Amino acid sequence: MTPRASHRPLRTSIVEPAALTPERRAAMFALLSVWFEGYGEEYFNGELGGLDHCVLQEDPDTGELVGFATVYRQETDIGGTPVGAFHTAHCILERRFWGSNGLVRAMLAEMIARARAERSGRLWYWSYSAVGYRSYRYMPMLFIRHTPNADFAPDEMERALRDHIGRECFAQYYDASTGTVDWKWQGYGLTDEARAISDAKLDSPAVAQFRRLNPRWADSVEILCLARLTDENLTAFGRRWFPATQAA
């Protein structure tokens, strides 16, 4: 078991892409490279240009970057209904801080606050692609209705939005028939450290369910996840994390 860090809580901030200095971008890429190999730094920096915002976590004593999440914003109309999605491309945290959930909670708190403040009638969703159970588990943990889900198929709106995001974010690598992303890049995939963590938990019922949803996870195939950002769609646990009293 990896020991949890014992010093003060991490410093969390929401920043615009313009605030990401070359040094900060290099630190972000170094964190990403612990878990994924074959992901070019030039490509990563190109991605950062399209960000809506970024969530950073730093050691309050040293200023060292220990975690980050990159969030993109998409808007479209589906069947005459205006919809939008906050899409998380990367959510990376140093392993010594695992178990805190602070990065994901701060990221989602910002999304939910923006969705609650929406006055135009646009429906807002959270989306991301999960290559492993550690990423997917936030769907059933926080949201009543979400996709993918072993208990029900996505409705027409969910499927249409999922496929729109899949095409916009992943182009030809997205397979609408399965809702998965197969990059098919030579040399790209999970690092040995990432595989070791996933392999160690294969006997877990929850992980087994995820493997049924995404049977090619070990080949670094990702499955696109989607959930509506409304108070009504939050689980009891989700309501504790994001109480309605926070709404404007």
Side-chain angles (χ1 to χ4, degrees):
M1 173 179 281
T2 302
R4 291 278 302 279
S6 59
H7 49 68
R8 293 188 292 130
L10 297 175
R11 182 170 61 229
T12 303
S13 57
I14 311 292
V15 303
E16 301 294 323
L20 299 175
T21 64
E23 294 76 17
R24 181 60 81 213
R25 290 169 180 245
M28 291 166 66
F29 183 73
L31 286 175
L32 177 70
S33 299
V34 173
W35 309 111
F36 295 95
E37 57 189 5
Y39 209 103
E41 188 167 8
E42 183 177 349
Y43 181 86
F44 176 71
N45 281 315
E47 280 187 334
L48 297 180
L51 281 178
D52 182 78
H53 63 276
C54 187
V55 185
L56 304 180
Q57 284 203 310
E58 302 165 315
D59 185 310
D61 298 315
T62 66
E64 174 193 9
L65 183 75
V66 299
F68 73 90
T70 52
V71 180
Y72 299 78
R73 178 187 178 113
Q74 293 187 323
E75 296 181 2
T76 189
D77 275 17
I78 295 178
T81 300
V83 297
F86 295 109
H87 180 75
T88 302
H90 303 294
C91 189
I92 307 292
L93 185 66
E94 276 194 19
R95 191 176 180 184
R96 61 190 165 116
F97 296 102
W98 284 7
S100 70
N101 289 313
L103 179 59
V104 171
R105 189 171 183 176
M107 175 183 66
L108 272 169
E110 179 71 12
M111 294 180 189
I112 290 173
R114 295 188 185 198
R116 284 170 171 164
E118 180 66 56
R119 296 294 180 264
S120 72
R122 186 176 300 275
L123 309 180
W124 282 99
Y125 292 77
W126 177 36
S127 76
Y128 62 94
S129 58
V131 72
Y133 175 72
R134 283 188 60 82
S135 301
Y136 170 72
R137 66 190 174 97
Y138 289 105
M139 283 282 132
M141 184 172 86
L142 295 172
F143 300 100
I144 297 169
R145 184 171 180 88
H146 57 274
T147 187
N149 191 316
D151 297 327
F152 58 81
D155 63 24
E156 185 176 347
M157 172 72 77
E158 292 164 344
R159 184 180 295 277
L161 179 57
R162 183 198 69 180
D163 292 345
H164 171 80
I165 294 168
R167 291 189 299 268
E168 290 293 311
C169 293
F170 307 109
Q172 72 272 25
Y173 303 107
Y174 175 69
D175 182 350
S177 67
T178 60
T180 58
V181 180
D182 185 353
W183 293 104
K184 300 174 184 161
W185 287 353
Q186 185 175 2
Y188 171 75
L190 298 173
T191 62
D192 289 342
E193 184 169 353
R195 289 180 186 278
I197 291 169
S198 295
D199 289 344
K201 294 187 176 182
L202 292 185
D203 59 347
S204 161
V207 173
Q209 182 183 73
F210 174 77
R211 282 163 55 83
R212 289 193 294 272
L213 293 169
N214 185 19
R216 296 188 57 210
W217 71 273
D219 298 325
S220 301
V221 172
E222 304 171 7
I223 191 162
L224 197 54
C225 301
L226 188 73
R228 176 91 177 272
L229 295 171
T230 63
D231 292 320
E232 295 76 16
N233 197 33
L234 291 173
T235 62
F237 186 90
R239 290 194 297 272
R240 289 195 296 272
W241 264 21
F242 312 111
T245 52
Q246 293 178 354

